[in-house]
Amino acid sequence: MKTITATFASPADEPLTRLAVSALQAESKLRGLQLDIVESSQTTSGEVHLRSNDQDIQTDRPQLIRETGKILDPISPRTQQTNTTIPPRETSAPVTVANKFLIGVTSCPTGIAHTFMAAEALIKGAKAMGYEMKVETRGSVGAKNELTAEDIAKADAVIVAADATVETARFGGKKLLETGTKAAIRDSQGLIKEALALEPSPAQGSGLKQPAKKERTGPYKHLMTGVSHMLPLVVAGGLLIALAFAIGGIYAGDEEGTLGWALMQIGGASAFALFVPVFAGFIAFSIADRPGLTPGLIGGMLASSLGAGFLGGIAAGFLAGYFTRWLNKAIKLPDQLAGLKPVLILPLISSLVVGLAMVYLIGPPVKGLMDGVSAWLNAIQGSSALILGLLLGGMMAFDMGGPINKAAYTFAVGLVATQIYGPMAAVMAAGMVPPLGVALAATLFKNRFSADEQQATKATAVLGIAFITEGAIPYAAADPFRVIPATIAGSATAGAISMAVGSKLMVPHGGIFVLAIPNAITHMLGYLIAIVAGTLVTTTVLFFLKKRRPAANEATA
C-alpha cells in the first residue's frame, strides 16, 4: 500500500486543519493510500506539504479542502467512484462567480479611523457593483466582524487593506489583493475590479503550490505595526500617571502605599516599562512573524534598561526581525528535528546575537544620542521651540494619518516614555486642527463647499476634538491643492504656539477629552489658544483659497 505523508504547519485543533485532515482521510481511503499526519512549524503557517515516494505537493488548507481529489490525482488515481466526488475547479467556477460575495480585512496602525473608513468604503463600493461584502476590521479594540472558514471558502476575492501586519495565510488559494487603507478609501471599486481580475493559486511543477504573496514590506509598515501594539500601553500609562498626579500631586510616587503611589506603579513602572519592549517586539514580529517576537522583546527590554529609549527599541526591533528571518531561512532541519527550530534554536541564537549587539554595539551610542536629544528638547525655548512646533505641526497635517503624520506622532509618543512631554502637546494640538478648521469653514462659507461637505461638518468637528486628523481627509481628497495648504498652515500655527507657551501633555491620545484630567496638560489656557488659533488660520486660508461654487450648487446646499 502506498503511503502519503501530510505535513501541516498549523495546529491540529484549528477548524481548517480538521476539515483538511478529514478530506484527506476520505480521499486516501478511496484511493487505497496509507495516510500519516505530521504537525510541523518549519513551513509557513497554513501550508500543507504532501509527500509520497518521489512526489512532493505543496498546497494550503482551503485549496486542499476544495480540491482534495484533484490534488491527489498525481499520486494515486481513485480506485472507487462515489457520489461524493468533489468536482474539479473548472466545473465549480460558475458557482463561485454566481456567489457575488467578497471579503476583506482592514487595519491601520492606531486602529481608530482609517480601519473603519476603509471598511465602509469597500462595502459601499461592492454594493454599487452588485456584490455583497463582509469586512473584518482589526482596530484598536481587536477584530470585529471576523471572517469564518465558510466566508473565505465562498468568497470570489479577498482585499486586505492594511497599513500594519495582517495574517493572510488563511486566504491561500483565493484571489488576494493586498494594499493600504488609503487606496481603499480613495478608489474602492477600482480595487475590487483589480482583485477580481487576479488569478487564484495556479498549478506549479509536479503539484499545487500557493504563489508567493505580494509582500507589503518596508520599514514604514514594520514601524507602524510596532506603533499599533505599543500605543494602548502609552495611552493607559499616561492616563494613570496623570490620575496619580491628580490624586497625590507631583510627588505622588514617592510615598509608598498611597493610592497615588499605586497608580504610578501601574502606569509608570509597569505600562511605560513595557512600552519599548512591546514596540521592538512587534516591529520584529512584522518582519519575521512569530519567531521574531522573542528576540525583539528581549532587545527592546535591553534598549529600555540601557537607556537607549525608543530609538534603541527601533534599532532592536529591526535587527531582531531581519536577523531572525534570515536565520529561519538559513537553518534547514529534517522533519524529525523541525520542532526544535521554533522553541529552541531560533529564540536562542537570535536572542543571543541581538542581546550582545544591543549591549556592546547599539545601546551605548544610541543612549548618547537620546541623552543629547533629551537635553536639547528640555532646554529649547524661544525661536527653537517655535521652529520645532512649526515642523511637527506641519507634518501632522501634511498627509493626515500617512507616513509623515505618523513619523511626527511616533517621535512625540517615544519622547513621552522619556518624560519629555512638550512635543506631544504640539502634535496633538496640531492634529486636532485640520478637521476643526475645515468643519468651521464649511459651516461659515457654505458657498465654497458641496452639500455633502456641509452635512458632514458636525461629524468632522467631533473627530477633530477627539484628535482624529483623518476626519479632514474627505475634504482634502476633493480639493487637495487648496485644503492641504490651509490645514498645514493652521496645524503649524497650533504646534508653534503650543511649544512657545511651554505646554506639556502626558497622554498621547484622546484630544480635548483628556483636558478634564487634572495635571494631564500644563499651561492649559495657552494650549487652548493654540488649538483655536490654528483652527481660525485654517478657516481663514480656506476662505481665500476655496472658490465660490456655482449658484445652482449654492441653492442646492
Side-chain angles (χ1 to χ4, degrees), residues 211-235:
K213 67 177 182 179
K214 180 175 67 177
E215 290 186 300
R216 293 166 51 255
T217 59
Y220 172 73
K221 168 181 166 285
H222 305 317
L223 184 67
M224 289 302 102
T225 300
V227 168
S228 68
H229 285 86
M230 67 81 178
L231 187 59
L233 287 169
V234 184
V235 173

Short mmCIF file of all heavy atoms in Angstrom, two decimals, residues 211-235:
data_model
loop_
_atom_site.label_atom_id
_atom_site.label_comp_id
_atom_site.label_asym_id
_atom_site.label_seq_id
_atom_site.Cartn_x
_atom_site.Cartn_y
_atom_site.Cartn_z
N PRO A 211 1.01 30.56 -4.73
CA PRO A 211 2.02 31.50 -5.18
C PRO A 211 2.43 32.43 -4.05
O PRO A 211 1.65 32.73 -3.16
CB PRO A 211 1.30 32.30 -6.28
CG PRO A 211 -0.14 32.19 -5.92
CD PRO A 211 -0.31 30.83 -5.31
N ALA A 212 3.67 32.86 -4.12
CA ALA A 212 4.16 33.79 -3.10
C ALA A 212 3.32 35.05 -3.15
O ALA A 212 3.10 35.62 -4.20
CB ALA A 212 5.62 34.11 -3.35
N LYS A 213 2.86 35.48 -1.99
CA LYS A 213 2.01 36.67 -1.97
C LYS A 213 2.86 37.90 -2.25
O LYS A 213 4.07 37.93 -2.02
CB LYS A 213 1.33 36.82 -0.60
CG LYS A 213 2.31 37.13 0.53
CD LYS A 213 1.56 37.33 1.82
CE LYS A 213 2.54 37.67 2.94
NZ LYS A 213 1.88 37.91 4.22
N LYS A 214 2.19 38.93 -2.73
CA LYS A 214 2.87 40.20 -2.99
C LYS A 214 3.19 40.82 -1.64
O LYS A 214 2.32 41.33 -0.94
CB LYS A 214 1.97 41.11 -3.81
CG LYS A 214 2.59 42.46 -4.14
CD LYS A 214 1.71 43.27 -5.05
CE LYS A 214 0.44 43.67 -4.38
NZ LYS A 214 -0.43 44.53 -5.19
N GLU A 215 4.46 40.78 -1.23
CA GLU A 215 4.84 41.23 0.08
C GLU A 215 4.72 42.74 0.20
O GLU A 215 5.20 43.48 -0.62
CB GLU A 215 6.27 40.80 0.40
CG GLU A 215 6.42 39.30 0.60
CD GLU A 215 7.81 38.95 1.05
OE1 GLU A 215 8.75 39.24 0.30
OE2 GLU A 215 7.96 38.40 2.14
N ARG A 216 4.04 43.17 1.27
CA ARG A 216 3.96 44.58 1.57
C ARG A 216 4.97 44.85 2.66
O ARG A 216 4.68 44.89 3.84
CB ARG A 216 2.54 44.93 2.02
CG ARG A 216 1.51 44.79 0.95
CD ARG A 216 0.10 44.80 1.47
NE ARG A 216 -0.17 45.93 2.34
CZ ARG A 216 -0.27 45.81 3.66
NH1 ARG A 216 -0.11 44.65 4.25
NH2 ARG A 216 -0.53 46.87 4.39
N THR A 217 6.22 44.97 2.24
CA THR A 217 7.29 45.12 3.19
C THR A 217 7.72 46.57 3.26
O THR A 217 7.16 47.44 2.63
CB THR A 217 8.47 44.25 2.78
OG1 THR A 217 8.90 44.64 1.46
CG2 THR A 217 8.09 42.79 2.75
N GLY A 218 8.76 46.81 4.01
CA GLY A 218 9.30 48.15 4.11
C GLY A 218 9.32 48.62 5.54
O GLY A 218 8.48 48.23 6.35
N PRO A 219 10.28 49.48 5.87
CA PRO A 219 10.44 49.94 7.25
C PRO A 219 9.18 50.61 7.81
O PRO A 219 8.86 50.43 8.98
CB PRO A 219 11.61 50.93 7.14
CG PRO A 219 12.38 50.49 5.95
CD PRO A 219 11.37 49.95 4.99
N TYR A 220 8.48 51.38 6.98
CA TYR A 220 7.31 52.08 7.50
C TYR A 220 6.24 51.10 7.99
O TYR A 220 5.68 51.27 9.07
CB TYR A 220 6.73 52.99 6.41
CG TYR A 220 5.40 53.60 6.79
CD1 TYR A 220 5.33 54.63 7.73
CD2 TYR A 220 4.21 53.15 6.22
CE1 TYR A 220 4.11 55.18 8.08
CE2 TYR A 220 2.99 53.70 6.58
CZ TYR A 220 2.95 54.73 7.50
OH TYR A 220 1.74 55.26 7.86
N LYS A 221 5.96 50.08 7.20
CA LYS A 221 4.95 49.09 7.60
C LYS A 221 5.35 48.42 8.91
O LYS A 221 4.52 48.24 9.81
CB LYS A 221 4.79 48.06 6.50
CG LYS A 221 3.99 46.83 6.91
CD LYS A 221 3.90 45.85 5.76
CE LYS A 221 3.42 44.50 6.23
NZ LYS A 221 4.42 43.72 6.94
N HIS A 222 6.61 48.02 9.03
CA HIS A 222 7.06 47.35 10.24
C HIS A 222 7.01 48.29 11.45
O HIS A 222 6.61 47.89 12.55
CB HIS A 222 8.47 46.81 10.04
CG HIS A 222 8.62 45.91 8.85
ND1 HIS A 222 7.70 44.94 8.54
CD2 HIS A 222 9.58 45.83 7.89
CE1 HIS A 222 8.08 44.31 7.43
NE2 HIS A 222 9.20 44.84 7.03
N LEU A 223 7.42 49.53 11.23
CA LEU A 223 7.39 50.51 12.32
C LEU A 223 5.96 50.75 12.80
O LEU A 223 5.69 50.80 14.00
CB LEU A 223 8.01 51.82 11.84
CG LEU A 223 8.15 52.94 12.88
CD1 LEU A 223 9.18 52.55 13.94
CD2 LEU A 223 8.56 54.24 12.20
N MET A 224 5.03 50.85 11.86
CA MET A 224 3.64 51.11 12.23
C MET A 224 3.00 49.91 12.94
O MET A 224 2.11 50.08 13.76
CB MET A 224 2.83 51.48 11.00
CG MET A 224 3.14 52.86 10.44
SD MET A 224 2.87 54.19 11.65
CE MET A 224 4.58 54.52 12.15
N THR A 225 3.46 48.70 12.63
CA THR A 225 2.96 47.54 13.36
C THR A 225 3.38 47.64 14.82
O THR A 225 2.60 47.35 15.73
CB THR A 225 3.51 46.24 12.74
OG1 THR A 225 3.07 46.14 11.38
CG2 THR A 225 3.01 45.02 13.51
N GLY A 226 4.62 48.07 15.06
CA GLY A 226 5.07 48.28 16.43
C GLY A 226 4.28 49.37 17.12
O GLY A 226 3.87 49.22 18.28
N VAL A 227 4.02 50.46 16.41
CA VAL A 227 3.27 51.58 16.99
C VAL A 227 1.86 51.13 17.38
O VAL A 227 1.35 51.46 18.45
CB VAL A 227 3.20 52.76 16.00
CG1 VAL A 227 2.19 53.81 16.46
CG2 VAL A 227 4.58 53.39 15.84
N SER A 228 1.21 50.37 16.52
CA SER A 228 -0.18 49.97 16.78
C SER A 228 -0.30 49.10 18.03
O SER A 228 -1.33 49.13 18.70
CB SER A 228 -0.74 49.22 15.57
OG SER A 228 -0.10 47.97 15.39
N HIS A 229 0.75 48.32 18.33
CA HIS A 229 0.69 47.46 19.51
C HIS A 229 1.15 48.16 20.78
O HIS A 229 0.72 47.79 21.89
CB HIS A 229 1.53 46.20 19.28
CG HIS A 229 0.89 45.22 18.35
ND1 HIS A 229 1.03 45.28 16.98
CD2 HIS A 229 0.08 44.14 18.59
CE1 HIS A 229 0.35 44.28 16.42
NE2 HIS A 229 -0.23 43.60 17.36
N MET A 230 2.04 49.13 20.67
CA MET A 230 2.52 49.81 21.88
C MET A 230 1.62 50.97 22.28
O MET A 230 1.64 51.40 23.44
CB MET A 230 3.96 50.28 21.70
CG MET A 230 4.20 51.37 20.69
SD MET A 230 3.83 53.03 21.29
CE MET A 230 4.29 53.99 19.85
N LEU A 231 0.82 51.50 21.36
CA LEU A 231 0.04 52.69 21.66
C LEU A 231 -0.90 52.52 22.85
O LEU A 231 -0.97 53.41 23.71
CB LEU A 231 -0.74 53.11 20.41
CG LEU A 231 -1.49 54.44 20.51
CD1 LEU A 231 -0.52 55.58 20.80
CD2 LEU A 231 -2.25 54.72 19.22
N PRO A 232 -1.64 51.41 22.98
CA PRO A 232 -2.50 51.26 24.17
C PRO A 232 -1.74 51.32 25.48
O PRO A 232 -2.25 51.83 26.47
CB PRO A 232 -3.15 49.88 23.96
CG PRO A 232 -3.10 49.66 22.48
CD PRO A 232 -1.83 50.28 22.03
N LEU A 233 -0.51 50.81 25.49
CA LEU A 233 0.30 50.88 26.71
C LEU A 233 0.62 52.33 27.08
O LEU A 233 0.54 52.72 28.24
CB LEU A 233 1.62 50.11 26.52
CG LEU A 233 1.53 48.58 26.51
CD1 LEU A 233 2.85 47.98 26.06
CD2 LEU A 233 1.19 48.07 27.91
N VAL A 234 0.98 53.11 26.08
CA VAL A 234 1.34 54.50 26.33
C VAL A 234 0.11 55.30 26.76
O VAL A 234 0.18 56.13 27.66
CB VAL A 234 2.00 55.14 25.09
CG1 VAL A 234 2.46 56.55 25.39
CG2 VAL A 234 3.18 54.30 24.64
N VAL A 235 -1.02 55.06 26.10
CA VAL A 235 -2.25 55.78 26.46
C VAL A 235 -2.66 55.44 27.89
O VAL A 235 -2.92 56.33 28.70
CB VAL A 235 -3.37 55.44 25.47
CG1 VAL A 235 -4.70 56.05 25.94
CG2 VAL A 235 -3.03 55.96 24.08
#
